[in-house]
Amino acid sequence: MRRQPLGLHSDLLLAYENEEHTMKVAARVSNTISGHAAEVETDGRKQSIAIAPKNTGRGSSLNGGELLFAALATCFCNDLYREAGKRDIEVQSVDVEVTGTFGNPGEPARDISYRVLVHADAPQAEIDDLIRETDSVTEIQNTLRAGCAVRLEHA
């Protein structure tokens, strides 16, 4: 997001033009034999996510792959509404299905793909263009495509 101050020295203007908007995002999971809690946070706004523990009480009933694929689907869905708003397209519904495979423990996912069905008040060609444009700006998809580094801070 750019801010453009008026009447300031050109060096200050350049600094504002190069400023990028960032969101601070975090996720936390806490698990004990007696309970499981999951919380997400964006820019200080915290929300709990209802995820049951495994039947044994040790760990989550959902696995990381399922949550990763849910993140891909959620990101696309939210971003599609954002992009549709820029085009004044009224969207009635969005369905996103993400699939892929995981191999042995420690191996990354393979063959991740997703299918999208959008119902909107627009010609099909405009909807198809909206879907393609949204795919190009979805942050989670682009993070995986770029191969973002992940580091363990405390061992």
Side-chain angles (χ1 to χ4, degrees):
M1 191 172 287
R2 289 186 176 175
R3 292 186 281 171
Q4 297 180 343
L6 300 176
L8 295 179
H9 188 270
S10 62
D11 290 341
L12 293 176
L13 179 60
L14 180 61
Y16 279 123
E17 287 180 346
N18 290 332
E19 184 179 310
E20 293 183 26
H21 173 73
T22 59
M23 290 187 305
K24 173 76 171 160
V25 178
R28 294 169 195 85
V29 171
S30 177
N31 183 267
T32 65
I33 192 67
S34 61
H36 186 78
E39 179 182 81
V40 294
E41 178 181 349
T42 298
D43 290 335
R45 185 178 57 87
K46 295 180 181 180
Q47 299 182 75
S48 294
I49 302 173
I51 301 174
K54 286 184 178 180
N55 291 337
T56 63
R58 304 270 185 205
S60 172
S61 62
L62 299 178
N63 67 53
E66 291 168 326
L67 292 169
L68 174 64
F69 289 6
L72 288 162
T74 300
C75 184
F76 185 88
C77 180
N78 289 348
D79 288 0
L80 185 114
Y81 283 110
R82 179 190 67 207
E83 298 304 312
K86 292 177 183 177
R87 297 171 181 222
D88 292 323
I89 295 175
E90 183 66 30
V91 175
Q92 283 76 45
S93 67
V94 179
D95 293 296
V96 183
E97 179 184 17
V98 180
T99 60
T101 58
F102 283 86
N104 293 320
E107 291 181 358
R110 298 184 308 273
D111 303 319
I112 300 173
S113 63
Y114 67 107
R115 301 174 66 108
V116 178
L117 179 61
V118 175
H119 293 285
D121 290 335
Q124 189 61 49
E126 285 184 40
I127 294 170
D128 292 345
D129 186 52
L130 172 64
I131 291 169
R132 281 189 295 275
E133 175 63 21
T134 301
D135 176 68
S136 74
V137 298
T138 52
E139 295 82 4
I140 302 301
Q141 280 81 336
N142 286 339
T143 298
L144 291 179
R145 290 171 180 149
C148 179
V150 177
R151 69 183 176 282
L152 175 63
E153 291 184 356
H154 300 286

